[in-house]
Amino acid sequence: MLPVQDYIQHFIQIWEQSPDTLPDFTKKYTESEQFLREKNYNHFQKKIKGLQSSKKVKEFRNDPGQSFFPMFKAFLETVFDFDKDHLTLILSDEFKDVSKDFFYKARKFGPELKPENIYQGMRNVWIMNGVQLMAGVPVKITPSVFAYSMIYPYSDNFLDDPNITNEEKKKFSERFNQRLHAVDVSPGNFTEEQLFKLVEMFEQEFPRPDFPELYESLYAIQKGQTDSLKMITSTGLSDYEIQCICFEKGGASVLADGYLVAGKLTRQQEQALFGYGVYLQLLDDIQDVKEDSLAFTKTMFSCLPETDLGGFVNKTIHFGRVALEEMRCFSGAQNDDFLDLMNRSIETMIIESVGLNHTWYEKEYLNELEKHSPLHFQFVRDKRTQSKSQRFSLFQKYFDTAGVRDSKVGVEYAGEEVGKKKVNS
C-alpha cells in the first residue's frame, strides 16, 4: 500500500514549521505600474472583443492560434510580467495542441457537459501536462490523462450538488469505489455510467497486474474524496482531523496524476507530488473560502477566525515554496525556470484570491499584499463582476470563436474516438 499517512505527517510537519509572516516577493508594484498593467488588460479585452466581427471570426476559424496566441502572449507579458522562459513553456505548441485536443474529445465523450464543466477538467489536464514535462514524457492527451481529468466534471459536481441527498452520495461513492477495485458492479445512474467508462480507459492503457501502485493511487484519491464528505456532514471534527482530510484529498489527487502520467514512480517522486497536491488544495481553500463558509463546509481556512486569515495565506505561501523544492527529484524540474513558473503562477492566484475576498482580511494586510499584485484589488473585483471567471472567459472565447458552441454537440474529432466502448457490467 502507498504510505499516504506518512506523506500526510511529513507535510504537516512542514506546515507547522512554516512562518505566518508576510513572505518576500520578487516583484513590488508602484501605483503607476499597476495602472499601466490595467490599461494593457483593457486593451487585450478590446482586441478579444474585436474577434467577434464576422470577418475576424472567419479568419480566426482558419487559424485560431495565429490570432489568439500572439495576443495572449502579449497579455501575459504586459499584465502579469511572465518572462520569456516562462512563456516558452506556457505557450509551446505542445500545450496549445493538448488544450484543443482535450476540448474536442470532451465534447464527443460528454456532449451534455457545459463549457465550464470542460474547463474544470482542463485545469487538471494542465496539471498533468506539467507532470508530463517533469517526468520527461511527451506532453499529450493520453487515454488516462483524458479519463482522469474528466472524472472531475462528473464526480465533483455530483458530490457538490446540494439537491442530491447525503445517502445518495454515499451509495455513489461506494459503487465507484467498487468499480475502481475491479468489482463487477452496475452503474446506478448516468454519471456512474460515464465514470465507469473512464475507469475502463485506465485499465486499457495500464493493465492492473502490471501497475498495482497506480491503482492504489486511485483508491487513495477515492478515499480522500469519501473522507472529505465528513467535512460537510460531521460536526465536532478537530483542527487536526480537518487538516489530515484536506492534506489527504489534495495530496492523493496529484499523486494519482503522476501515476496516470508515468505508470511508475519512486517513493521520493510520490512524496513530492503529494506535497504539490496539498499546496493546490490549500490554494483551492483560499479561493473558495466564501462558498465553503456559506455551505458550512469545513476546511482549514473556512474554520479560522477572520483575524487569522492573513497569517494563513502567508503560511500557505511559505509552505508551498518548501514543498515545491521537493519536485527537483524529477529530471524535468531540476532547472529553476519550471519551478519558478509553477510557484509564480500559484502565488499570483493566491494574491488575486485575497483581493477578490477582501472582506475576509484586515485592511492593513490587504494594503501590504496589494503592493505585490500587478493589478489593483478593486480592478480585479470589477473584472470578476463583469465576468465570473477571467480565465474561463478567455477559454470560452477561444473555442467559441473557433466554431465550437454549446448548441453544437457531437463534434467530430479526427483522432481516436473516446468513450466508445461500453463497460461490461
Side-chain angles (χ1 to χ4, degrees):
M1 294 295 293
L2 299 177
V4 170
Q5 294 304 315
D6 291 345
Y7 299 150
I8 291 173
Q9 295 306 314
H10 172 73
F11 288 105
I12 284 179
Q13 184 177 12
I14 292 177
W15 174 262
E16 291 175 346
Q17 294 171 349
S18 300
D20 61 3
T21 54
L22 190 72
D24 291 328
F25 294 96
T26 56
K27 182 67 177 175
K28 196 170 186 177
Y29 296 91
T30 64
E31 287 270 337
S32 59
E33 288 174 329
Q34 289 171 325
F35 282 127
L36 175 61
R37 281 153 183 78
E38 290 161 8
K39 180 180 178 181
N40 293 336
Y41 190 109
N42 288 328
H43 182 64
F44 173 74
Q45 279 194 319
K46 288 180 181 178
K47 280 192 170 184
I48 289 293
K49 189 174 181 180
L51 292 175
Q52 293 176 318
S53 69
S54 58
K55 180 180 177 181
K56 290 292 184 181
V57 167
K58 185 176 180 180
E59 293 174 0
F60 197 86
R61 285 178 178 172
N62 291 333
D63 187 2
Q66 185 177 359
S67 300
F68 178 81
F69 285 106
M71 285 194 298
F72 189 51
K73 178 177 181 291
F75 172 72
L76 293 175
E77 283 180 318
T78 62
V79 176
F80 291 105
D81 295 311
F82 283 97
D83 61 35
K84 292 182 179 179
D85 291 329
H86 292 165
L87 293 173
T88 299
L89 290 169
I90 297 172
L91 299 178
S92 67
D93 289 338
E94 293 174 310
F95 271 84
K96 286 185 277 188
D97 290 343
V98 295
S99 296
K100 183 166 60 177
D101 191 6
F102 177 74
F103 188 91
Y104 288 134
K105 286 188 174 186
R107 294 301 273 160
K108 190 171 185 68
F109 179 83
E112 78 285 352
L113 294 175
K114 298 178 180 179
E116 54 263 36
N117 297 136
I118 298 176
Y119 175 69
Q120 182 184 4
M122 189 170 286
R123 292 172 64 190
N124 190 72
V125 169
W126 292 330
I127 293 173
M128 295 184 81
N129 291 156
V131 176
Q132 286 174 325
L133 276 177
M134 288 186 292
V137 301
V139 176
K140 62 181 182 179
I141 302 296
T142 65
S144 293
V145 168
F146 174 81
Y148 188 52
S149 299
M150 288 296 287
I151 282 177
Y152 285 87
Y154 285 107
S155 65
D156 280 14
N157 292 343
F158 186 91
L159 293 173
D160 293 341
D161 190 340
N163 297 315
I164 298 174
T165 67
N166 290 329
E167 184 61 27
E168 289 177 292
K169 292 177 182 179
K170 182 179 179 181
K171 290 179 179 178
F172 164 84
S173 294
E174 289 172 352
R175 283 192 296 269
F176 188 40
N177 188 52
Q178 287 177 312
R179 180 63 188 88
L180 285 177
H181 284 80
V183 175
D184 187 8
V185 58
S186 297
N189 52 51
F190 175 75
T191 296
E192 290 178 21
E193 288 180 11
Q194 295 292 81
L195 288 170
F196 289 9
K197 292 177 188 177
L198 297 172
V199 173
E200 188 179 17
M201 294 182 197
F202 303 150
E203 295 168 330
Q204 291 175 346
E205 185 175 6
F206 296 108
R208 287 178 181 270
D210 300 329
F211 299 92
E213 296 89 356
L214 183 151
Y215 290 92
E216 287 178 15
S217 75
L218 294 178
Y219 308 153
I221 179 55
Q222 174 62 10
K223 181 179 181 298
Q225 289 275 14
T226 302
D227 287 347
S228 69
L229 292 176
K230 298 176 184 176
M231 302 173 75
I232 302 173
T233 61
S234 300
T235 57
L237 288 174
S238 68
D239 291 345
Y240 175 75
E241 289 172 316
I242 292 172
Q243 184 178 29
C244 287
I245 291 171
C246 289
F247 279 28
E248 177 185 34
K249 179 183 177 183
S253 179
V254 177
L255 177 56
D257 280 327
Y259 267 111
L260 291 167
V261 161
K264 301 283 186 180
L265 296 170
T266 67
R267 283 291 187 255
Q268 191 178 17
Q269 290 170 336
E270 284 180 2
Q271 179 172 286
L273 288 169
F274 195 93
Y276 179 29
V278 172
Y279 189 21
L280 292 177
Q281 182 63 51
L282 293 170
L283 165 63
D284 282 348
D285 291 346
I286 291 171
Q287 289 177 320
D288 298 338
V289 60
K290 181 178 179 180
E291 291 81 358
D292 289 336
S293 179
L294 291 174
F296 300 102
T297 299
K298 302 175 184 66
T299 70
M300 288 174 61
F301 197 55
S302 65
C303 291
L304 288 172
E306 293 189 19
T307 54
D308 290 345
L309 298 188
F312 182 95
V313 170
N314 295 340
K315 200 173 181 72
T316 297
I317 294 172
H318 285 294
F319 169 89
R321 291 177 180 179
V322 175
L324 288 183
E325 281 297 310
E326 296 196 13
M327 300 292 278
R328 293 187 187 275
C329 64
F330 288 95
S331 59
Q334 290 176 0
N335 67 79
D336 290 336
D337 289 338
F338 192 85
L339 290 180
D340 284 348
L341 172 60
M342 291 173 65
N343 203 49
R344 171 73 184 281
S345 300
I346 296 173
E347 289 185 11
T348 297
M349 287 188 282
I350 290 175
I351 293 172
E352 178 189 84
S353 299
V354 171
L356 287 170
N357 296 292
H358 63 292
T359 58
W360 293 75
Y361 300 90
E362 294 182 351
K363 186 175 181 180
E364 293 78 7
Y365 181 75
L366 289 167
N367 290 339
E368 190 59 36
L369 196 63
E370 188 176 33
K371 297 174 185 176
H372 305 285
S373 170
L375 306 169
H376 288 100
F377 285 161
Q378 184 62 56
F379 182 87
V380 173
R381 291 194 293 273
D382 290 344
K383 290 300 178 184
R384 182 58 59 93
T385 301
Q386 297 169 15
S387 174
K388 185 176 180 181
S389 168
Q390 298 167 19
R391 295 177 182 85
F392 170 65
S393 178
L394 292 176
F395 163 82
Q396 188 171 29
K397 183 70 67 179
Y398 171 59
F399 288 107
D400 278 356
T401 314
V404 182
R405 288 184 170 82
D406 281 356
S407 59
K408 189 175 181 181
V409 298
V411 177
E412 291 186 5
Y413 177 72
E416 172 190 3
E417 187 172 343
V418 179
K420 181 178 180 182
K421 188 174 180 182
K422 295 284 183 181
V423 174
N424 295 323
S425 58

